[in-house]
Amino acid sequence: NAGVTQTPKFQVLKTGQSMTLQCAQDMNHNSMYWYRQDPGMGLRLIYYSASEGTTDKGEVPNGYNVSRLNKREFSLRLESAAPSQTSVYFCASSAWTGQPQETQYFGPGTRLLVL
Amino acid sequence: AQSVTQLDSQVPVFEEAPVELRCNYSSSVSVYLFWYVQYPNQGLQLLLKYLSGSTLVKGINGFEAEFNKSQTSFHLRKPSVHISDTAEYFCAVSDSGGSNYKLTFGKGTLLTVNP
């Protein structure tokens, strides 16, 4: 049981390049999330998917797109990377069974540097 | 809208000393409160959470937190810390008002335990 996995672990991009961050979970969770973590800012929600087939914007969605490929996988795409998108990106999942807030389970993160 | 304030960005302590990490929240509805820990170069993992009932919540690794509704606080405590507790700690809040439970994180407190 791997939990939440993310690829790649580290990436360097040039301004204007595109890339997709991959996330997968093997816990049969319904909800998945993408966060970015910047020094002194905590974690900020980029996009989330409450269930397969649905996605919604979070606090900082500009410059990103997401795809909920199936129940297991939730990808984050940067179409034209900018230096302001240099950050650590975390994917998370939760069961979302309708009960009071479930725990979110986090992946190990992807460190992205945009030059 | 909900928000979280972690009052200290850094807390240095000596090994075996007690520690308190402070967290205040604001929300117009009933809340659920969480503490997550992030060890160096890792993702976040749940320490403990308050959903309802007893205001004193015990978590993993000897940590506990007390929910104080009148002071809108959820401070994290440990009576005796170890070197291995060195990590960043995040307080988070979720409210019951939305159709999807989303977490709002504080900016984090870096706990450094010195020998």
Side-chain angles (χ1 to χ4, degrees), chain B:
Chain B
Q2 58 201 29
S3 66
V4 177
T5 302
Q6 291 184 242
L7 297 161
D8 305 294
S9 60
Q10 297 186 53
V11 173
V13 295
F14 288 108
E15 196 173 16
E16 298 183 6
V19 70
E20 178 180 80
L21 306 183
R22 297 180 294 168
C23 172
N24 286 93
Y25 69 92
S26 67
S27 176
S28 58
V29 296
S30 297
V31 295
Y32 309 118
L33 294 156
F34 303 77
W35 276 100
Y36 281 82
V37 60
Q38 183 181 29
Y39 298 105
N41 298 313
Q42 294 186 27
L44 281 71
Q45 63 184 82
L46 182 72
L47 264 183
L48 50 79
K49 61 183 176 182
Y50 171 80
L51 301 182
S52 64
S54 173
T55 58
L56 184 63
V57 181
K58 294 188 183 297
I60 62 171
N61 301 337
F63 283 92
E64 62 182 32
E66 185 158 18
F67 171 59
N68 188 319
K69 188 174 182 180
S70 63
Q71 297 188 8
T72 60
S73 67
F74 190 55
H75 300 333
L76 181 71
R77 301 185 182 100
K78 186 170 183 178
S80 176
V81 295
H82 304 290
I83 298 286
S84 59
D85 292 322
T86 294
E88 191 154 23
Y89 293 79
F90 292 94
C91 183
V93 63
S94 175
D95 68 42
S96 58
S99 60
N100 186 52
Y101 297 135
K102 292 181 290 181
L103 284 177
T104 299
F105 286 87
K107 295 183 178 182
T109 298
L110 179 61
L111 173 65
T112 302
V113 181
N114 298 300

